[in-house]
Amino acid sequence: MTSRGAAGAMASAPAGAVWTKTCQVLKHELGEATFGSWLGQAALRETAEEVCVVAATGVARDWIRRHAWRRIGELWAQNDPLGRRLDLKSRMEVESAGMAAHTPIPAPAAANAPETPQVFEVEAEVAAPVAARQGRLLGLQDRFSFETFVSGPANEFAFAVARRVANWSDGHFNPVLFHGPYGFGKTHLLNALAWEAMKSAPDRRVVYLTAERFTTTFVKAIQDRQTQAFKDDLRNADLLLIDDVHFVAGKTQTQEELFHTLIALVEDGRRVVLTADRSPTELSEMEPRLRSHLQAGLVCGIEPADRTLRLGILERKLQTLATQGRFVPAARGEVLQFLADRFTDSVRELEGALNTLVARVGGDIARLTLDEAQGILRPHLSVTERKVTVDMIQKTVAEHYALKQADLISERRARAVARPRQVAMWLAKQITTRSLPDIGRRFGGRDHTTVLHAVRRIEALKAEDAAIARDIDVLLRKLRG
């Protein structure tokens, strides 16, 4: 299989060259922002059976089919001398279409070559249940694996580092620290790393624990006069994984013990991976020596998920829920987009909202309308969100666009004012309980039809204009604190 980014050239593959030419024209015709939002993360997949454009998400696939597929077909036909048929699928469709079809087939072994692959396969089958038992004893969660982790620009570097460490690759940095906001995949990544490390090297010792558990176990060891046993248990690990290391900040004895454990393991060539909610430089309550050693290896930040990644996470979660509930993994694009735009602060909250919808309607989620989804989630939103007023929205939007609040309620129609005003109206409709007429009155006595037009315009622009989508992401975060 050949797969590369839409914007990348594949000069050695004829299909890739045709796709590159097609993308160059599309970028010019659609504009870089629109192209980047919907086709920039697409890939071309070429096999013996088909040539297929693979969109990042199902929502992106649907947009491409509605707005660009006919033009893509025209350009492809003009540039492909072989006249091959081009298909369109989402990444999820490709991955769930049959993993066996995508498994590389090993080349036939030479006559006198040892049968290492066959021996390895048998060992892997034996190792899998052993790893599963060890993982459950360590407190690992089955659902957190590399296969269920959705990667994107916000986390792809951390994801690549985790996979490299899990495969016991040489040339690693030590220790590795993943940091980022609550609910954006740090624990998932650490669990996945542990599972994979145990499967790939069942003879090596992996130890996983939260910083809280590290602390309570250490305190108990002191009380029971078993500190040496505690130290030996950790320092004999080939790979030590500690989640939420920021928890030890301010705990003098625990920090001291963690510091010496870290030194002993790193000097002995053992591997250490940790997570924190902030970068080491921001852990002000942490003992300076420990903070310095956390910075000495590789520090990987995990940024808040962008809109494309949030949509991908929703589709992956829907696939999982559909498998468990035995229904078709489909939902209306407008419903998934609403969830992706509304739950921007935490992947856990994002998945929790989808769980709520599926729990209420089950397999009927494919027929669930946007109004029905909002109605189901409204009680949860009112509990979890702070009270946001139209006045707060106007002040925040005005500040973001370097305007005065009075500009948003004025009669000015210049684009530099009209677009921010539409954004503010869209936000007022999304995160307040005000009616359209009420919102209109608070924007200089405008009619409810003006507000409705603004809401629909911003809905359309979010899908087409990456800059508007980013602005809305930033504004939602500010307003929700």
Side-chain angles (χ1 to χ4, degrees), residues 6 15 18-27 29-30 34-35 38-40 42-44 51-55 60-80 83-89:
V18 177
W19 179 236
T20 299
K21 289 180 182 179
T22 301
C23 286
Q24 288 170 348
V25 176
L26 287 169
K27 187 180 292 186
E29 293 180 351
L30 295 172
T34 300
F35 178 88
W38 301 108
L39 280 155
L44 186 71
V51 181
C52 181
V53 176
V54 182
R61 175 205 59 206
D62 294 342
W63 186 94
I64 292 169
R65 194 178 298 282
R66 285 195 306 270
H67 299 284
W69 191 239
R70 180 179 295 179
R71 183 58 175 150
I72 288 173
E74 292 172 355
L75 294 169
W76 182 266
Q78 291 171 14
N79 293 295
D80 183 20
R84 287 165 292 191
R85 178 180 174 274
L86 189 64
D87 201 359
L88 175 64
K89 296 178 181 176

Short mmCIF file of all heavy atoms in Angstrom, two decimals, residues 6 15 18-27 29-30 34-35 38-40 42-44 51-55 60-80 83-89:
data_model
loop_
_atom_site.label_atom_id
_atom_site.label_comp_id
_atom_site.label_asym_id
_atom_site.label_seq_id
_atom_site.Cartn_x
_atom_site.Cartn_y
_atom_site.Cartn_z
N ALA A 6 -1.91 14.53 0.98
CA ALA A 6 -2.40 15.04 -0.29
C ALA A 6 -1.44 16.03 -0.90
O ALA A 6 -1.31 16.10 -2.12
CB ALA A 6 -3.76 15.69 -0.08
N ALA A 15 0.21 6.99 -9.96
CA ALA A 15 -1.03 7.47 -9.34
C ALA A 15 -0.74 8.66 -8.43
O ALA A 15 -1.50 9.62 -8.38
CB ALA A 15 -1.70 6.35 -8.55
N VAL A 18 -0.30 11.83 -10.50
CA VAL A 18 -1.61 12.33 -10.95
C VAL A 18 -2.31 13.05 -9.80
O VAL A 18 -2.89 14.12 -9.96
CB VAL A 18 -2.49 11.18 -11.48
CG1 VAL A 18 -3.87 11.69 -11.87
CG2 VAL A 18 -1.83 10.52 -12.69
N TRP A 19 -2.26 12.47 -8.61
CA TRP A 19 -2.91 13.05 -7.44
C TRP A 19 -2.27 14.39 -7.07
O TRP A 19 -2.94 15.35 -6.70
CB TRP A 19 -2.84 12.08 -6.29
CG TRP A 19 -3.46 12.55 -5.00
CD1 TRP A 19 -2.86 12.64 -3.80
CD2 TRP A 19 -4.80 13.02 -4.79
NE1 TRP A 19 -3.72 13.12 -2.85
CE2 TRP A 19 -4.93 13.35 -3.43
CE3 TRP A 19 -5.90 13.17 -5.64
CZ2 TRP A 19 -6.11 13.85 -2.90
CZ3 TRP A 19 -7.08 13.67 -5.10
CH2 TRP A 19 -7.18 14.00 -3.75
N THR A 20 -0.94 14.46 -7.18
CA THR A 20 -0.24 15.71 -6.88
C THR A 20 -0.69 16.83 -7.81
O THR A 20 -0.96 17.96 -7.37
CB THR A 20 1.28 15.51 -6.99
OG1 THR A 20 1.70 14.51 -6.05
CG2 THR A 20 2.03 16.80 -6.70
N LYS A 21 -0.79 16.53 -9.10
CA LYS A 21 -1.26 17.54 -10.07
C LYS A 21 -2.69 17.97 -9.74
O LYS A 21 -3.03 19.15 -9.80
CB LYS A 21 -1.21 16.96 -11.48
CG LYS A 21 0.19 16.77 -12.04
CD LYS A 21 0.12 16.20 -13.46
CE LYS A 21 1.52 15.96 -14.02
NZ LYS A 21 1.45 15.38 -15.38
N THR A 22 -3.52 16.99 -9.39
CA THR A 22 -4.91 17.28 -9.05
C THR A 22 -4.98 18.22 -7.84
O THR A 22 -5.74 19.19 -7.82
CB THR A 22 -5.67 15.97 -8.74
OG1 THR A 22 -5.62 15.13 -9.90
CG2 THR A 22 -7.12 16.24 -8.38
N CYS A 23 -4.16 17.93 -6.83
CA CYS A 23 -4.17 18.74 -5.60
C CYS A 23 -3.68 20.16 -5.85
O CYS A 23 -4.17 21.11 -5.24
CB CYS A 23 -3.32 18.07 -4.52
SG CYS A 23 -4.11 16.63 -3.80
N GLN A 24 -2.70 20.30 -6.74
CA GLN A 24 -2.19 21.64 -7.04
C GLN A 24 -3.28 22.53 -7.63
O GLN A 24 -3.41 23.70 -7.27
CB GLN A 24 -1.01 21.53 -8.01
CG GLN A 24 0.25 20.96 -7.36
CD GLN A 24 1.33 20.62 -8.37
OE1 GLN A 24 1.09 20.60 -9.59
NE2 GLN A 24 2.53 20.35 -7.89
N VAL A 25 -4.08 21.96 -8.53
CA VAL A 25 -5.18 22.72 -9.13
C VAL A 25 -6.25 23.01 -8.08
O VAL A 25 -6.78 24.13 -7.98
CB VAL A 25 -5.79 21.95 -10.32
CG1 VAL A 25 -6.99 22.70 -10.89
CG2 VAL A 25 -4.74 21.74 -11.40
N LEU A 26 -6.60 22.00 -7.27
CA LEU A 26 -7.64 22.16 -6.25
C LEU A 26 -7.26 23.22 -5.23
O LEU A 26 -8.10 24.02 -4.79
CB LEU A 26 -7.91 20.83 -5.54
CG LEU A 26 -8.66 19.77 -6.34
CD1 LEU A 26 -8.59 18.44 -5.61
CD2 LEU A 26 -10.10 20.19 -6.56
N LYS A 27 -5.99 23.24 -4.83
CA LYS A 27 -5.55 24.23 -3.85
C LYS A 27 -5.73 25.64 -4.39
O LYS A 27 -6.14 26.55 -3.68
CB LYS A 27 -4.08 23.99 -3.49
CG LYS A 27 -3.58 24.86 -2.35
CD LYS A 27 -2.12 24.60 -2.03
CE LYS A 27 -1.91 23.23 -1.43
NZ LYS A 27 -0.51 23.03 -0.99
N GLU A 29 -7.95 26.49 -6.78
CA GLU A 29 -9.37 26.77 -7.01
C GLU A 29 -10.15 26.94 -5.69
O GLU A 29 -11.03 27.79 -5.59
CB GLU A 29 -10.00 25.66 -7.85
CG GLU A 29 -9.47 25.61 -9.27
CD GLU A 29 -10.10 24.51 -10.09
OE1 GLU A 29 -10.83 23.66 -9.52
OE2 GLU A 29 -9.87 24.50 -11.31
N LEU A 30 -9.82 26.13 -4.71
CA LEU A 30 -10.57 26.17 -3.45
C LEU A 30 -10.00 27.20 -2.47
O LEU A 30 -10.71 27.67 -1.58
CB LEU A 30 -10.53 24.79 -2.77
CG LEU A 30 -11.24 23.65 -3.49
CD1 LEU A 30 -10.94 22.32 -2.80
CD2 LEU A 30 -12.74 23.88 -3.54
N THR A 34 -9.50 26.39 2.69
CA THR A 34 -10.48 25.33 2.47
C THR A 34 -9.80 24.01 2.11
O THR A 34 -10.16 22.95 2.62
CB THR A 34 -11.45 25.74 1.33
OG1 THR A 34 -12.11 26.94 1.72
CG2 THR A 34 -12.48 24.65 1.09
N PHE A 35 -8.80 24.09 1.23
CA PHE A 35 -8.07 22.88 0.86
C PHE A 35 -7.43 22.24 2.09
O PHE A 35 -7.52 21.02 2.29
CB PHE A 35 -6.99 23.21 -0.18
CG PHE A 35 -6.16 22.03 -0.59
CD1 PHE A 35 -6.55 21.22 -1.64
CD2 PHE A 35 -4.98 21.72 0.08
CE1 PHE A 35 -5.79 20.12 -2.01
CE2 PHE A 35 -4.22 20.62 -0.28
CZ PHE A 35 -4.62 19.82 -1.34
N TRP A 38 -10.03 20.36 4.45
CA TRP A 38 -10.74 19.16 4.01
C TRP A 38 -9.90 18.18 3.21
O TRP A 38 -10.11 16.97 3.28
CB TRP A 38 -11.97 19.56 3.19
CG TRP A 38 -12.90 20.41 3.98
CD1 TRP A 38 -13.12 21.75 3.84
CD2 TRP A 38 -13.71 19.99 5.08
NE1 TRP A 38 -14.03 22.19 4.77
CE2 TRP A 38 -14.42 21.12 5.55
CE3 TRP A 38 -13.94 18.77 5.71
CZ2 TRP A 38 -15.30 21.08 6.60
CZ3 TRP A 38 -14.83 18.71 6.76
CH2 TRP A 38 -15.50 19.86 7.21
N LEU A 39 -8.92 18.67 2.46
CA LEU A 39 -8.11 17.78 1.63
C LEU A 39 -6.66 17.71 2.08
O LEU A 39 -5.93 16.80 1.68
CB LEU A 39 -8.18 18.24 0.17
CG LEU A 39 -9.44 17.81 -0.57
CD1 LEU A 39 -9.74 18.75 -1.73
CD2 LEU A 39 -9.32 16.38 -1.08
N GLY A 40 -6.23 18.68 2.88
CA GLY A 40 -4.84 18.71 3.31
C GLY A 40 -4.41 17.49 4.09
O GLY A 40 -3.23 17.12 4.07
N ALA A 42 -5.96 14.50 3.69
CA ALA A 42 -6.35 13.30 2.95
C ALA A 42 -5.09 12.59 2.46
O ALA A 42 -4.01 13.17 2.42
CB ALA A 42 -7.25 13.67 1.77
N ALA A 43 -5.24 11.33 2.07
CA ALA A 43 -4.11 10.54 1.58
C ALA A 43 -4.56 9.75 0.36
O ALA A 43 -5.75 9.47 0.20
CB ALA A 43 -3.60 9.60 2.66
N LEU A 44 -3.60 9.42 -0.48
CA LEU A 44 -3.91 8.57 -1.64
C LEU A 44 -3.47 7.15 -1.31
O LEU A 44 -2.33 6.92 -0.90
CB LEU A 44 -3.19 9.06 -2.89
CG LEU A 44 -3.59 8.31 -4.16
CD1 LEU A 44 -5.01 8.69 -4.57
CD2 LEU A 44 -2.62 8.61 -5.30
N VAL A 51 -7.52 2.48 -6.54
CA VAL A 51 -6.87 3.74 -6.18
C VAL A 51 -7.92 4.56 -5.45
O VAL A 51 -9.02 4.78 -5.97
CB VAL A 51 -6.36 4.50 -7.42
CG1 VAL A 51 -5.68 5.79 -6.99
CG2 VAL A 51 -5.42 3.64 -8.23
N CYS A 52 -7.60 4.98 -4.23
CA CYS A 52 -8.63 5.57 -3.37
C CYS A 52 -8.09 6.80 -2.65
O CYS A 52 -6.97 6.80 -2.15
CB CYS A 52 -9.08 4.52 -2.34
SG CYS A 52 -10.36 5.07 -1.21
N VAL A 53 -8.91 7.85 -2.62
CA VAL A 53 -8.62 9.01 -1.78
C VAL A 53 -9.19 8.70 -0.39
O VAL A 53 -10.38 8.40 -0.25
CB VAL A 53 -9.27 10.28 -2.34
CG1 VAL A 53 -9.05 11.46 -1.39
CG2 VAL A 53 -8.70 10.61 -3.72
N VAL A 54 -8.34 8.76 0.63
CA VAL A 54 -8.76 8.45 1.99
C VAL A 54 -8.84 9.75 2.79
O VAL A 54 -7.82 10.38 3.08
CB VAL A 54 -7.78 7.47 2.67
CG1 VAL A 54 -8.26 7.13 4.08
CG2 VAL A 54 -7.63 6.21 1.83
N ALA A 55 -10.06 10.17 3.12
CA ALA A 55 -10.27 11.39 3.90
C ALA A 55 -9.99 11.14 5.37
O ALA A 55 -10.14 10.01 5.86
CB ALA A 55 -11.71 11.89 3.71
N ALA A 60 -15.22 14.81 6.70
CA ALA A 60 -14.40 15.32 5.61
C ALA A 60 -14.74 14.61 4.30
O ALA A 60 -14.82 15.23 3.24
CB ALA A 60 -12.92 15.17 5.95
N ARG A 61 -14.93 13.29 4.38
CA ARG A 61 -15.32 12.53 3.18
C ARG A 61 -16.61 13.07 2.59
O ARG A 61 -16.72 13.27 1.37
CB ARG A 61 -15.48 11.05 3.55
CG ARG A 61 -16.01 10.16 2.42
CD ARG A 61 -16.70 8.95 3.00
NE ARG A 61 -17.81 9.35 3.86
CZ ARG A 61 -18.29 8.60 4.86
NH1 ARG A 61 -17.76 7.44 5.14
NH2 ARG A 61 -19.31 9.05 5.59
N ASP A 62 -17.61 13.31 3.45
CA ASP A 62 -18.90 13.80 2.96
C ASP A 62 -18.77 15.19 2.35
O ASP A 62 -19.41 15.49 1.34
CB ASP A 62 -19.91 13.82 4.12
CG ASP A 62 -20.24 12.43 4.63
OD1 ASP A 62 -19.97 11.46 3.91
OD2 ASP A 62 -20.74 12.31 5.76
N TRP A 63 -17.93 16.04 2.97
CA TRP A 63 -17.73 17.38 2.40
C TRP A 63 -17.08 17.29 1.02
O TRP A 63 -17.49 17.96 0.08
CB TRP A 63 -16.86 18.21 3.33
CG TRP A 63 -16.74 19.65 2.88
CD1 TRP A 63 -17.51 20.70 3.29
CD2 TRP A 63 -15.83 20.18 1.92
NE1 TRP A 63 -17.12 21.85 2.64
CE2 TRP A 63 -16.09 21.56 1.78
CE3 TRP A 63 -14.80 19.61 1.15
CZ2 TRP A 63 -15.38 22.37 0.92
CZ3 TRP A 63 -14.09 20.43 0.29
CH2 TRP A 63 -14.37 21.79 0.17
N ILE A 64 -16.06 16.45 0.92
CA ILE A 64 -15.36 16.29 -0.37
C ILE A 64 -16.32 15.77 -1.43
O ILE A 64 -16.33 16.25 -2.57
CB ILE A 64 -14.17 15.32 -0.21
CG1 ILE A 64 -13.09 15.95 0.68
CG2 ILE A 64 -13.57 14.95 -1.58
CD1 ILE A 64 -12.00 14.97 1.12
N ARG A 65 -17.17 14.82 -1.04
CA ARG A 65 -18.11 14.25 -2.02
C ARG A 65 -19.11 15.31 -2.50
O ARG A 65 -19.45 15.37 -3.68
CB ARG A 65 -18.86 13.06 -1.41
CG ARG A 65 -19.58 12.21 -2.46
CD ARG A 65 -20.28 11.02 -1.84
NE ARG A 65 -19.38 10.10 -1.18
CZ ARG A 65 -18.63 9.20 -1.84
NH1 ARG A 65 -18.66 9.15 -3.15
NH2 ARG A 65 -17.84 8.39 -1.15
N ARG A 66 -19.56 16.18 -1.58
CA ARG A 66 -20.56 17.19 -1.94
C ARG A 66 -19.96 18.35 -2.71
O ARG A 66 -20.55 18.85 -3.66
CB ARG A 66 -21.24 17.74 -0.68
CG ARG A 66 -22.24 16.81 -0.04
CD ARG A 66 -23.12 17.57 0.95
NE ARG A 66 -22.34 18.29 1.94
CZ ARG A 66 -21.96 17.78 3.10
NH1 ARG A 66 -22.28 16.54 3.40
NH2 ARG A 66 -21.25 18.51 3.95
N HIS A 67 -18.76 18.80 -2.31
CA HIS A 67 -18.24 20.07 -2.81
C HIS A 67 -17.08 19.94 -3.80
O HIS A 67 -16.80 20.91 -4.50
CB HIS A 67 -17.78 20.95 -1.63
CG HIS A 67 -18.87 21.28 -0.67
ND1 HIS A 67 -19.83 22.23 -0.93
CD2 HIS A 67 -19.16 20.77 0.56
CE1 HIS A 67 -20.66 22.31 0.11
NE2 HIS A 67 -20.28 21.44 1.02
N ALA A 68 -16.40 18.82 -3.83
CA ALA A 68 -15.18 18.76 -4.66
C ALA A 68 -15.04 17.49 -5.49
O ALA A 68 -14.15 17.44 -6.35
CB ALA A 68 -13.95 18.91 -3.75
N TRP A 69 -15.89 16.50 -5.27
CA TRP A 69 -15.64 15.19 -5.89
C TRP A 69 -15.78 15.23 -7.41
O TRP A 69 -15.00 14.60 -8.13
CB TRP A 69 -16.56 14.14 -5.28
CG TRP A 69 -16.18 12.73 -5.69
CD1 TRP A 69 -16.94 11.82 -6.34
CD2 TRP A 69 -14.93 12.10 -5.43
NE1 TRP A 69 -16.24 10.65 -6.51
CE2 TRP A 69 -14.99 10.81 -5.97
CE3 TRP A 69 -13.74 12.51 -4.82
CZ2 TRP A 69 -13.94 9.91 -5.91
CZ3 TRP A 69 -12.68 11.62 -4.76
CH2 TRP A 69 -12.78 10.34 -5.30
N ARG A 70 -16.78 15.96 -7.89
CA ARG A 70 -16.94 16.05 -9.35
C ARG A 70 -15.71 16.68 -9.98
O ARG A 70 -15.21 16.19 -11.01
CB ARG A 70 -18.18 16.86 -9.70
CG ARG A 70 -18.41 16.99 -11.21
CD ARG A 70 -19.67 17.78 -11.50
NE ARG A 70 -20.86 17.07 -11.04
CZ ARG A 70 -22.10 17.56 -11.15
NH1 ARG A 70 -22.29 18.74 -11.72
NH2 ARG A 70 -23.12 16.87 -10.71
N ARG A 71 -15.20 17.75 -9.40
CA ARG A 71 -14.01 18.41 -9.93
C ARG A 71 -12.79 17.51 -9.83
O ARG A 71 -11.95 17.48 -10.74
CB ARG A 71 -13.78 19.72 -9.18
CG ARG A 71 -12.61 20.54 -9.70
CD ARG A 71 -12.77 20.88 -11.17
NE ARG A 71 -11.70 21.76 -11.63
CZ ARG A 71 -11.25 21.77 -12.88
NH1 ARG A 71 -11.77 20.95 -13.79
NH2 ARG A 71 -10.28 22.60 -13.23
N ILE A 72 -12.67 16.79 -8.73
CA ILE A 72 -11.55 15.85 -8.57
C ILE A 72 -11.61 14.81 -9.69
O ILE A 72 -10.58 14.46 -10.29
CB ILE A 72 -11.60 15.17 -7.19
CG1 ILE A 72 -11.22 16.17 -6.10
CG2 ILE A 72 -10.66 13.97 -7.13
CD1 ILE A 72 -11.39 15.67 -4.68
N GLY A 73 -12.80 14.31 -9.98
CA GLY A 73 -12.96 13.32 -11.04
C GLY A 73 -12.53 13.87 -12.40
O GLY A 73 -11.89 13.17 -13.20
N GLU A 74 -12.88 15.13 -12.66
CA GLU A 74 -12.50 15.75 -13.93
C GLU A 74 -10.98 15.88 -14.04
O GLU A 74 -10.38 15.53 -15.08
CB GLU A 74 -13.14 17.14 -14.04
CG GLU A 74 -14.66 17.13 -14.18
CD GLU A 74 -15.25 18.52 -14.09
OE1 GLU A 74 -14.48 19.48 -13.82
OE2 GLU A 74 -16.47 18.66 -14.29
N LEU A 75 -10.36 16.38 -13.00
CA LEU A 75 -8.91 16.56 -13.02
C LEU A 75 -8.18 15.23 -13.10
O LEU A 75 -7.15 15.11 -13.78
CB LEU A 75 -8.48 17.34 -11.77
CG LEU A 75 -8.97 18.79 -11.68
CD1 LEU A 75 -8.71 19.36 -10.30
CD2 LEU A 75 -8.29 19.64 -12.75
N TRP A 76 -8.69 14.24 -12.37
CA TRP A 76 -8.08 12.91 -12.39
C TRP A 76 -8.14 12.32 -13.80
O TRP A 76 -7.15 11.78 -14.32
CB TRP A 76 -8.78 12.00 -11.40
CG TRP A 76 -8.17 10.61 -11.32
CD1 TRP A 76 -8.56 9.51 -12.00
CD2 TRP A 76 -7.06 10.22 -10.52
NE1 TRP A 76 -7.77 8.44 -11.68
CE2 TRP A 76 -6.83 8.85 -10.77
CE3 TRP A 76 -6.24 10.89 -9.61
CZ2 TRP A 76 -5.81 8.13 -10.16
CZ3 TRP A 76 -5.23 10.17 -8.99
CH2 TRP A 76 -5.02 8.81 -9.26
N ALA A 77 -9.30 12.44 -14.44
CA ALA A 77 -9.46 11.90 -15.80
C ALA A 77 -8.53 12.60 -16.79
O ALA A 77 -7.99 11.97 -17.71
CB ALA A 77 -10.91 12.05 -16.24
N GLN A 78 -8.33 13.92 -16.60
CA GLN A 78 -7.46 14.67 -17.51
C GLN A 78 -6.00 14.26 -17.38
O GLN A 78 -5.25 14.28 -18.37
CB GLN A 78 -7.58 16.17 -17.21
CG GLN A 78 -8.92 16.79 -17.59
CD GLN A 78 -9.05 18.21 -17.07
OE1 GLN A 78 -8.07 18.83 -16.66
NE2 GLN A 78 -10.28 18.73 -17.07
N ASN A 79 -5.58 13.89 -16.18
CA ASN A 79 -4.16 13.65 -15.92
C ASN A 79 -3.74 12.19 -15.84
O ASN A 79 -2.54 11.90 -15.82
CB ASN A 79 -3.76 14.35 -14.61
CG ASN A 79 -3.81 15.86 -14.70
OD1 ASN A 79 -3.06 16.47 -15.46
ND2 ASN A 79 -4.73 16.47 -13.97
N ASP A 80 -4.72 11.27 -15.78
CA ASP A 80 -4.37 9.85 -15.63
C ASP A 80 -4.40 9.15 -16.99
O ASP A 80 -5.48 8.88 -17.53
CB ASP A 80 -5.35 9.17 -14.67
CG ASP A 80 -4.98 7.70 -14.44
OD1 ASP A 80 -3.81 7.34 -14.70
OD2 ASP A 80 -5.86 6.93 -14.02
N GLY A 83 -6.51 5.88 -17.15
CA GLY A 83 -7.95 5.91 -16.98
C GLY A 83 -8.47 5.12 -15.81
O GLY A 83 -9.55 4.53 -15.85
N ARG A 84 -7.71 5.10 -14.73
CA ARG A 84 -8.12 4.32 -13.56
C ARG A 84 -9.28 4.98 -12.82
O ARG A 84 -9.36 6.21 -12.77
CB ARG A 84 -6.94 4.14 -12.60
CG ARG A 84 -5.89 3.18 -13.09
CD ARG A 84 -4.61 3.30 -12.31
NE ARG A 84 -3.95 4.57 -12.57
CZ ARG A 84 -2.72 4.86 -12.18
NH1 ARG A 84 -2.01 3.98 -11.50
NH2 ARG A 84 -2.18 6.04 -12.46
N ARG A 85 -10.12 4.15 -12.22
CA ARG A 85 -11.25 4.65 -11.43
C ARG A 85 -10.76 5.07 -10.06
O ARG A 85 -9.96 4.38 -9.43
CB ARG A 85 -12.31 3.56 -11.30
CG ARG A 85 -13.52 3.97 -10.46
CD ARG A 85 -14.54 2.83 -10.37
NE ARG A 85 -15.61 3.17 -9.47
CZ ARG A 85 -15.57 2.97 -8.16
NH1 ARG A 85 -14.49 2.44 -7.61
NH2 ARG A 85 -16.61 3.30 -7.39
N LEU A 86 -11.23 6.22 -9.60
CA LEU A 86 -10.83 6.75 -8.30
C LEU A 86 -11.98 6.61 -7.32
O LEU A 86 -13.11 6.97 -7.63
CB LEU A 86 -10.43 8.22 -8.45
CG LEU A 86 -9.78 8.89 -7.23
CD1 LEU A 86 -8.44 8.24 -6.92
CD2 LEU A 86 -9.58 10.38 -7.50
N ASP A 87 -11.69 6.08 -6.13
CA ASP A 87 -12.72 5.90 -5.11
C ASP A 87 -12.47 6.88 -3.97
O ASP A 87 -11.40 7.48 -3.86
CB ASP A 87 -12.69 4.45 -4.60
CG ASP A 87 -14.01 4.05 -3.93
OD1 ASP A 87 -14.91 4.91 -3.86
OD2 ASP A 87 -14.13 2.91 -3.49
N LEU A 88 -13.46 7.03 -3.09
CA LEU A 88 -13.37 7.94 -1.95
C LEU A 88 -13.88 7.23 -0.70
O LEU A 88 -15.00 6.71 -0.69
CB LEU A 88 -14.19 9.21 -2.19
CG LEU A 88 -14.29 10.20 -1.01
CD1 LEU A 88 -12.93 10.79 -0.67
CD2 LEU A 88 -15.29 11.32 -1.34
N LYS A 89 -13.04 7.19 0.36
CA LYS A 89 -13.43 6.57 1.62
C LYS A 89 -12.86 7.39 2.77
O LYS A 89 -11.95 8.18 2.59
CB LYS A 89 -12.88 5.13 1.71
CG LYS A 89 -13.43 4.16 0.68
CD LYS A 89 -12.80 2.79 0.81
CE LYS A 89 -13.33 1.83 -0.24
NZ LYS A 89 -12.65 0.50 -0.17
#
